[in-house]
């Protein structure tokens, strides 16, 4: 008998028929003798709908007070899901109980809309499991020290599931979604994308951090820190497929770097359209200038991603960096009102219509020429590279957003990702 955590995403929970299917699948696992904890997301579209209602009434800008209420509202999507799923499980003849995040409790810090999990008290859940119940826990939400409801950031149900699996030392965490695993890139953009049977933890971490929405980055971090066996698989297979076959399907996030994985130089392509670029033109090129620019940005709690500083000409340089698109207006206002004048910048420029496309692979460590192959493929499509950032296992470029799909397809082809590595 194993302790298994299943997570079902929004599309998998998208209608009462689909919820019934989820219940049948979970019932199959429970009847095979496993202790089951199930973490569903809100029904598809529901979180957007709820946040949309809030935005209709909200004043412009963002504040902790507003964010607290956004979490209050958004968390209800998952509350509905757990109740519905528990009812569907009961209809399958199982003993099932649902909990919100605060009922568990799943404790977080107070950073509304992007809270971090601090601890999980699993005693209530364990008692239920011991009594033979299936426990359904709302994804995406928790509670802070003062009993305020928090949420974990978009896509956060992945993180709830992995964190619960980690806290309970579950034997496996299965992330059921609307694709049958992790692909070389988003199969919605490149139909030739290939499913990976395994992906190394490091590569999955890079893919998630570079914008692949298949798993929320924090869920991958938790899996790595606590060595949670993690698999991504489809909720759209017939619910009654053989359980052993199902247990081996999809993509396993692997913690061992075996030889087979090292053969692929590039394993996947990630993209992110949520960024925006800002540039300070003609700032004096002197010690401390980067700090003078980025210090106030960091103080305003704005995360900075790619940074580029040009060579200096006549003692002046141009300085560009990217931020999340949600922070674009705030960043521009900050640069125009204070940072620009303080650093004697000649001009402040911004471009919210950029995207970042990245190639990822642990094989890049031991191969040269990978980045140049990337640049050639982009140049053959006439795509201009605005910024470049590299690390041991990835190369990212910032380009005009309108070329994003073209770039992803061209790179997928150039690195022959549709083919199985020899
Ligand atoms: P869920 O609601 O189940 O959490 P998400 O929409 O958050 O589902 O994530 C699944 C989606 O991630 C897929 O439908 C797919 O379009 C997208 N995706 C992005 N990159 C990849 C990738 N490399 N492999 C598979 N799916 C990907
Ligand atoms: N329902 C939340 C969202 O849409 C959390 C999740 O789906 O993982 O972001
Ligand atoms: Mg998701």
């Amino acid at each position: 008998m194993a302790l298994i955590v299943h997570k079902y995403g929004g599309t998998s929970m998208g209608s009462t028929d689909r919820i019934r299917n989820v219940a049948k699948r979970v019932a199959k696992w429970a009847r095979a003798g496993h202790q089951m904890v199930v973490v569903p997301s809100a029904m598809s579209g529901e979180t957007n709908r709820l946040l949309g209602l809030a935005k209709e009434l909200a004043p412009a800008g963002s504040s902790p007070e507003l964010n607290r209420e956004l979490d209050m509202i958004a968390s209800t999507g998952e509350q509905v899901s757990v109740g519905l799923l528990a009812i569907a499980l009961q209809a399958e003849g199982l003993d099932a109980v649902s909990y919100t995040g605060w009922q568990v409790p799943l404790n977080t810090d107070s950073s509304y809309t992007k809270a971090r999990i601090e601890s999980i008290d699993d005693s209530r859940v364990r008692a239920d499991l011991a009594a033979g119940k299936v426990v359904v826990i709302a994804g995406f939400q928790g509670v802070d020290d003062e009993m305020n409801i928090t949420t974990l950031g978009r896509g956060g149900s992945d993180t709830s599931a992995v964190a619960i699996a980690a806290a309970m030392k579950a034997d496996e965490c299965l992330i059921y979604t609307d694709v049958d695993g992790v692909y070389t890139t988003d199969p919605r953009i490149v139909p030739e994308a290939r499913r990976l049977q395994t992906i190394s933890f490091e590569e999955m971490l890079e893919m998630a951090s570079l914008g692949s929405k298949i798993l929320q980055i924090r869920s991958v971090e938790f899996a790595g820190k606590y060595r949670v066996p993690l698999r991504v698989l489809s909720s759209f297979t017939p619910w009654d497929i053989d359980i052993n076959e199902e247990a081996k399907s999809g993509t396993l996030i692997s913690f061992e770097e075996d030889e087979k994985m090292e053969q692929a130089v590039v394993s996947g392509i990630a993209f992110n359209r949520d960024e925006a670029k800002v540039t300070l033109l003609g700032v004096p090129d002197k010690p401390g200038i980067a700090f003078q620019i980025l210090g106030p940005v960091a103080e305003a709690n704005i995360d900075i991603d790619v940074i580029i500083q040009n060579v200096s000409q006549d003692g002046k340089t141009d300085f560009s960096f990217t931020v999340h698109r949600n922070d674009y207006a705030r960043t521009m206002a900050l640069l125009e009102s204070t940072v620009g004048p303080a650093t004697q910048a000649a001009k402040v420029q911004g471009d919210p219509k950029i995207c970042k496309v990245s190639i990822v692979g642990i094989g890049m460590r031991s191969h040269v020429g990978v980045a140049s192959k990337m640049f050639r493929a982009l140049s053959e499509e006439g795509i201009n590279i605005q910024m470049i950032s590299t690390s041991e296992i990835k190369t990212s470029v910032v380009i005009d957003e309108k070329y994003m799909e073209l770039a992803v397809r061209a790179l997928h082809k150039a690195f022959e990702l549709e083919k199985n590595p020899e």
Side-chain angles (χ1 to χ4, degrees):
M1 184 174 71
L3 170 55
I4 308 280
V5 176
H6 278 193
K7 181 258 171 179
Y8 291 90
T11 317
S12 313
M13 293 289 296
S15 65
T16 45
D17 277 343
R18 288 201 174 148
I19 293 174
R20 197 175 289 119
N21 255 304
V22 168
K24 286 184 191 296
R25 191 180 298 273
V26 172
K28 175 181 74 182
W29 281 76
R31 293 207 168 100
H34 300 304
Q35 291 191 316
M36 298 301 299
V37 175
V38 191
V39 180
S41 295
M43 295 170 80
S44 56
E46 189 57 13
T47 310
N48 285 344
R49 188 186 72 84
L50 292 165
L51 292 174
L53 289 175
K55 293 268 155 67
E56 281 178 30
L57 297 171
S62 135
S63 67
E65 292 74 27
L66 170 62
N67 288 344
R68 180 187 184 280
E69 305 313 326
L70 292 179
D71 282 358
M72 180 67 95
I73 296 160
S75 63
T76 62
E78 271 72 9
Q79 182 167 344
V80 171
S81 281
V82 287
L84 291 174
L85 183 53
I87 291 174
L89 286 162
Q90 289 164 4
E92 289 301 315
L94 292 174
D95 204 355
V97 60
S98 70
Y99 294 121
T100 60
W102 59 267
Q103 286 176 309
V104 172
L106 188 150
N107 302 301
T108 71
D109 65 16
S110 305
S111 333
Y112 301 114
T113 74
K114 50 178 180 204
R116 284 185 175 269
I117 298 173
E118 289 181 337
S119 64
I120 298 174
D121 178 354
D122 66 359
S123 42
R124 191 169 186 178
V125 180
R126 281 206 185 274
D128 287 329
L129 291 176
K133 291 182 189 169
V134 173
V135 182
V136 186
I137 302 175
F140 183 49
Q141 54 179 265
V143 62
D144 77 0
D145 286 349
E146 276 150 25
M147 290 296 282
N148 297 300
I149 291 175
T150 56
T151 69
L152 310 178
R154 298 306 304 268
S157 298
D158 298 331
T159 302
S160 309
V162 179
I164 290 166
M168 301 193 71
K169 300 197 170 49
D171 294 280
E172 193 158 15
C173 181
L174 301 176
I175 307 281
Y176 286 87
T177 184
D178 56 4
V179 280
D180 63 352
V182 180
Y183 278 66
T184 47
T185 193
D186 189 340
R188 287 180 214 281
I189 303 279
V190 183
E192 300 78 32
R194 183 172 46 87
R195 181 172 61 80
L196 302 164
Q197 282 199 338
T198 59
I199 181 168
S200 74
F201 156 71
E202 279 177 290
E203 287 170 326
M204 194 61 244
L205 197 62
E206 279 293 351
M207 291 279 278
S209 87
L210 294 168
S212 246
K213 300 219 157 79
I214 180 87
L215 284 176
Q216 198 200 36
I217 171 106
R218 285 183 189 166
S219 71
V220 188
E221 286 168 358
F222 262 105
K225 190 163 172 197
Y226 298 100
R227 288 286 190 263
V228 180
L230 184 63
R231 187 178 284 278
V232 175
L233 66 173
S234 172
S235 69
F236 290 159
T237 53
W239 66 266
D240 55 354
I241 61 166
D242 178 67
I243 194 167
N244 295 315
E245 195 186 314
E246 185 174 324
K248 284 186 289 188
S249 67
T251 301
L252 176 73
I253 318 303
S254 162
F255 296 106
E256 284 151 39
E257 280 186 27
D258 69 16
E259 278 173 29
K260 197 166 136 268
M261 275 188 282
E262 290 208 20
Q263 280 175 4
V265 179
V266 172
S267 301
I269 300 172
F271 51 84
N272 183 355
R273 359 170 178 236
D274 296 337
E275 293 195 26
K277 185 175 85 164
V278 293
T279 303
L280 287 159
L281 293 161
V283 286
D285 194 10
K286 59 177 191 201
I289 196 74
F291 176 63
Q292 247 184 299
I293 297 171
L294 298 179
V297 177
E299 253 165 56
N301 231 337
I302 297 170
D303 282 334
I304 298 151
D305 186 22
V306 185
I307 305 171
I308 188 167
Q309 186 182 346
N310 282 342
V311 281
S312 115
Q313 247 186 348
D314 312 324
K316 303 265 186 199
T317 182
D318 299 340
F319 194 99
S320 300
F321 58 95
T322 63
V323 296
H324 195 282
R325 214 173 273 188
N326 291 345
D327 291 326
Y328 175 66
R330 234 159 34 97
T331 311
M332 282 300 280
L334 184 67
L335 296 188
E336 276 162 353
S337 64
T338 56
V339 179
T343 54
Q344 296 171 308
K347 203 174 167 197
V348 177
Q349 260 179 3
D351 184 358
K353 294 210 163 136
I354 51 119
C355 70
K356 187 172 74 176
V357 177
S358 311
I359 54 173
V360 174
I362 43 180
M364 285 166 71
R365 278 188 190 133
S366 47
H367 285 76
V368 290
V370 182
S372 71
K373 189 168 176 180
M374 177 186 201
F375 304 152
R376 187 176 66 210
L378 295 173
S379 81
E380 280 169 5
E381 298 295 338
I383 299 171
N384 185 43
I385 300 170
Q386 303 179 17
M387 302 167 102
I388 300 170
S389 142
T390 63
S391 78
E392 243 196 334
I393 66 165
K394 70 115 205 279
T395 302
S396 303
V397 295
V398 171
I399 59 172
D400 190 322
E401 187 190 16
K402 68 172 182 265
Y403 297 126
M404 193 195 83
E405 297 196 1
L406 178 63
V408 174
R409 288 199 194 103
L411 292 171
H412 201 270
K413 202 154 174 224
F415 288 99
E416 300 185 330
L417 295 185
E418 70 287 353
K419 293 188 192 154
N420 265 314
E422 315 279 283

